[in-house]
Amino acid sequence: MKTEIRILKRPTLKEPRLVGGLPGSGYVAKLVVDHLVKETNAELFAEIYSYSFPPQVMVKEDGTIELMKNELYFAKNRGNGDLIILNGNAQAVSPEGQYELSDKALDFVKELGVKTVYMTAAYITGEHVKKPKIYGTATDLASLREIEKFGVTIMKEGSITGSNGLLFGLAKQKDMTGICLLGETSGYIVDARAAQVVLEVLAKMLDFKVDMTNLENKAKETEKLLKKVEEMERRAMEQQSGFKAPPIKKPLEYIS
Amino acid sequence: MKTEIRILKRPTLKEPRLVGGLPGSGYVAKLVVDHLVKETNAELFAEIYSYSFPPQVMVKEDGTIELMKNELYFAKNRGNGDLIILNGNAQAVSPEGQYELSDKALDFVKELGVKTVYMTAAYITGEHVKKPKIYGTATDLASLREIEKFGVTIMKEGSITGSNGLLFGLAKQKDMTGICLLGETSGYIVDARAAQVVLEVLAKMLDFKVDMTNLENKAKETEKLLKKVEEMERRAMEQQSGFKAPPIKKPLEYIS
Amino acid sequence: MKTEIRILKRPTLKEPRLVGGLPGSGYVAKLVVDHLVKETNAELFAEIYSYSFPPQVMVKEDGTIELMKNELYFAKNRGNGDLIILNGNAQAVSPEGQYELSDKALDFVKELGVKTVYMTAAYITGEHVKKPKIYGTATDLASLREIEKFGVTIMKEGSITGSNGLLFGLAKQKDMTGICLLGETSGYIVDARAAQVVLEVLAKMLDFKVDMTNLENKAKETEKLLKKVEEMERRAMEQQSGFKAPPIKKPLEYIS
Amino acid sequence: MKTEIRILKRPTLKEPRLVGGLPGSGYVAKLVVDHLVKETNAELFAEIYSYSFPPQVMVKEDGTIELMKNELYFAKNRGNGDLIILNGNAQAVSPEGQYELSDKALDFVKELGVKTVYMTAAYITGEHVKKPKIYGTATDLASLREIEKFGVTIMKEGSITGSNGLLFGLAKQKDMTGICLLGETSGYIVDARAAQVVLEVLAKMLDFKVDMTNLENKAKETEKLLKKVEEMERRAMEQQSGFKAPPIKKPLEYIS
């Protein structure tokens, strides 16, 4: 196992907070972070490589490849401080890789002054909903009381797996505060609506504005997609009387 | 792989014995140890973290999270010495992780003066029984003769997998004595009755008293649950003549 | 994990380029490289061993065994420089093993003066074709413009897994250029025709000649095999009216 | 990963040869080595532990446990030199563990003077035979010519997986000679007959005598078992006309 942080530029940051999200169920976390990077014109300053990422390269639209990696961006003066954004195209595939990467990434951002980590994730229900709720959990009770003010429903059970869980959870061991915001999603589609809800709350919490137009457009596409899925399911049920089509298990399309 | 022992407090102990049990079949071992920690008012003094634990965080009832970890508690003056209790919410998921954690945990408690390790586990039979038997095995014949006096049936074959096996087995390599007490269980339910039987014998062996009321109540709940299961199975058989319902494979409920 | 490069001879090379291919879908990459080693009379100068290779030995036709390994050969004065060829009978079975091996192999050939890495791979379509196309991707746009001149179709999406992907992809991190050429193949057979197409383009790019006779003969065998498969599939369909035989999932035969 | 060799006694040996066999298909290799240890009154002098062994303890007939381990024994003056015997109750479960253990074990016995390694294994055919053939492979042609003299059929293809393959295969990298003798077996039963055939040839090669009585008795039990299996299969076929019972996949019984 080997995790390497390649520093492209070492920014000087004021009261930086980390916001992160890595590919997972419904791509909720990744959609949030992709949008945030774009809308804040955040600047890439470090890349994280791990021997535990899927052993492959991905071909981009321009024909060149990219390696599996996580990325750190910064955006200055967003609300009451600067912002560090953790994005990525992969999660480590082994427990050891997940822990090592989260551990090292947190040590690195702590050095840069981060005191609070906001991770995003999906809250999977198996049901399509029109207005996704936003759920939250944290490393401490004070943070829970804080996020409740923004309409976040506090979780009472369950687990958050992978980097989106470890990156705020391990903050506890490092005397940092960790918060996780989860958008309600069926888990069956790439869910831009859930991402939108998460990002709106996150922006309010961190006291800065994000243009939501692009994410809203994606959310509308998500909803059209959903209607198609439901129509297909309805027809399947009519044709095969007595047989209920099982929910579709994989993302139908990644609207990026 | 990385195992880390975080020492919160370094207790001075007199003739300490280690009693341990980690989540496994029927949650027998965990129930024993949870109860023991509570009833002896044992004090947490060290946490063990491993990169080989499941990569996730768990949400507690109060909305905050806990990391996957093992924990060491102590309780002074229980019978003929002090007690160290090993509890935890997870086992390592790889062989390498299991061995490393058991190895390091034993080295640590040996330093604290432990000479005998008592691990607990489930003895799975696939059958529901009213009065679970208690089985035992050990690293040496003298210990077997000793535990036989307490009504323990000595095992003659089989294997004990995971940390509940390694933590007393590896004691052999470190010139410590290892004993394992196993409560008979079907393996299909969270079995408080089996846990109760194990803890009663353990308390007698170590010559101290534990209030069993809570565990007895849980055991009664287990029995009610069992009756329901049996009733369901009986009905399923009646309705589908000739067809016997297969045993239920997963714990129905975790009565905690 | 342990990767070891055993150097048998340290050649002095002029403008060396690396050409590589390891066993994968349709054995396309391996066929290219096997043929190239033979026809250029390339000399073995280093062997690469990894603890992450399949834990086994393979029996050769003469009754002796060979270990799982990758091999580096050199051939002088092929086109506008010397050639290093990476061959092998195995790929690492874990992500960590794949990354470590690719990382170390690239460091080693960089030391020997390699600036450009050409990997080969299969482009799987699930359909049998008479004239396989050749696809390509690279670490940079300039290389894409270059390979387009040789009739290579530039990929726009997808991923290349395993060593055939990492060995040119990681070149990017090491200030080397990486190019991957992929022969179109169904993925169901050992496809010498696809290998032939790749090697022809590769030879043109690197400006040297390779006798294709043996590979052409193998390609003809591939085609005969294909006709048999298609005939079998046709009959299966006729006999079981309404039932379409599923595509054959495994290589039918390895024509070596 | 961690492999540890615990040396109980460091013997001075004359022309030692290593004979080894670890649990695998048909328990052929283990039966050979178990018998050899017993009949030569070989003395245990080293134990090998690995974090990659199955994470468990096994209960012995006397009620005490044993850890997963490999063992090295020696027996003096057997034929034209001394004998080192490698036995064990487990193989490592990961490729990395398999390679590391084989690598370290060979380094250790090389230090003790071993120049030739004889491993044993099963040659699986899927068919029950009355007179199992003995197959062989080696690291070099000279050894093949040598073992042919003892009626060994030289293999021409296939692979030998796990420690029984690596332990003689890696000998090649260490300037030692490696030979593997494989007893023909169906693979469906614990096959003492196959073990007997291997041990007889091995004893002739190394020029010493072994009392075969116990192994012959086991072989007779194997044959009785085989007859029962065949009778069962025959009946199953008669009862379900047109339906052939599939071969039994797991060892029916371990006659130890």
Side-chain angles (χ1 to χ4, degrees), chain C residues 231-250:
Chain C
E231 179 62 20
M232 278 164 58
E233 285 182 353
R234 202 183 50 77
R235 278 192 212 157
M237 280 182 69
E238 284 173 2
Q239 282 168 19
Q240 310 178 27
S241 63
F243 174 76
K244 198 195 161 307
I248 291 132
K249 291 271 166 50
K250 284 196 180 163

Side-chain angles (χ1 to χ4, degrees), chain C residues 45-111:
Chain C
F45 73 97
E47 293 172 339
I48 310 177
Y49 294 94
S50 165
Y51 275 12
S52 299
F53 280 146
Q56 61 180 36
V57 297
M58 284 173 70
V59 182
K60 292 188 288 187
E61 269 188 53
D62 70 0
T64 64
I65 56 96
E66 64 177 14
L67 298 167
M68 300 295 104
K69 64 184 166 186
N70 289 356
E71 294 173 324
L72 288 163
Y73 294 81
F74 71 91
K76 295 223 170 192
N77 299 315
R78 301 289 155 175
N80 36 31
D82 296 339
L83 217 56
I84 295 179
I85 306 170
L86 174 74
N87 200 348
N89 57 14
Q91 292 201 22
V93 294
S94 67
E96 288 83 4
Q98 290 269 21
Y99 274 102
E100 183 176 295
L101 193 142
S102 302
D103 212 2
K104 295 207 170 173
L106 283 177
D107 283 343
F108 179 64
V109 298
K110 191 182 174 183
E111 253 179 61

Side-chain angles (χ1 to χ4, degrees), chain A residues 51-55 57 59 63-65, chain C residues 96 99 103 137-138 158 160 162 172:
Chain A
Y51 276 12
S52 299
F53 281 147
V57 296
V59 182
T64 64
I65 55 98
Chain C
E96 288 83 4
Y99 274 102
D103 212 2
T137 178
I160 300 155
K172 203 179 176 178

Side-chain angles (χ1 to χ4, degrees), chain B residues 118 133-138 140-156 178-182 201-202 204-206, chain D residues 60-64:
Chain B
Y118 296 85
K133 281 173 74 175
I134 179 158
Y135 290 86
T137 176
D140 61 307
L141 289 168
S143 297
L144 292 180
R145 295 303 79 84
E146 197 57 39
I147 63 177
E148 269 183 325
K149 292 178 192 162
F150 296 88
V152 174
T153 305
I154 304 305
M155 291 173 71
K156 299 216 170 308
I179 289 165
C180 189
L181 299 176
L182 306 95
V201 169
L202 194 62
K204 270 186 214 154
M205 277 182 192
L206 298 177
Chain D
K60 293 187 288 187
E61 270 188 51
D62 70 0
T64 64

Side-chain angles (χ1 to χ4, degrees), chain B residues 1 95-96 98-100 103 137-138 140-141 144 154-162 165-166 168-169 172-173, chain D residues 1-2 4 6 49-68 93-94 97:
Chain B
M1 199 167 6
E96 288 83 4
Q98 290 268 22
Y99 274 102
E100 184 177 295
D103 212 1
T137 176
D140 61 307
L141 289 168
L144 292 180
I154 304 305
M155 291 173 71
K156 299 216 170 308
E157 54 175 3
S159 60
I160 300 155
T161 54
L166 290 183
F168 83 95
K172 202 178 175 180
Q173 286 186 335
Chain D
M1 202 165 9
K2 209 184 99 178
E4 192 191 355
R6 299 203 166 202
Y49 294 94
S50 165
Y51 275 12
S52 299
F53 281 146
Q56 61 182 34
V57 297
M58 284 172 70
V59 182
K60 293 187 288 187
E61 270 188 51
D62 70 0
T64 64
I65 56 96
E66 65 177 13
L67 298 168
M68 299 295 104
V93 294
S94 66

Side-chain angles (χ1 to χ4, degrees), chain B residues 177-236:
Chain B
T177 298
I179 289 165
C180 189
L181 299 176
L182 306 95
E184 184 182 2
T185 179
S186 67
Y188 304 140
I189 55 157
V190 172
D191 197 341
R193 178 62 76 213
Q196 195 191 350
V197 171
V198 171
L199 189 50
E200 278 166 0
V201 169
L202 194 62
K204 270 186 214 154
M205 277 182 192
L206 298 177
D207 195 22
F208 64 86
K209 294 217 181 306
V210 192
D211 185 333
M212 289 288 181
T213 321
N214 286 331
L215 203 47
E216 265 164 37
N217 290 341
K218 278 194 195 175
K220 279 175 195 156
E221 289 176 51
T222 301
E223 271 154 31
K224 278 184 203 159
L225 189 61
L226 260 180
K227 279 196 187 138
K228 271 192 211 163
V229 172
E230 280 165 7
E231 180 62 19
M232 277 163 60
E233 284 181 355
R234 201 183 51 75
R235 279 191 211 157

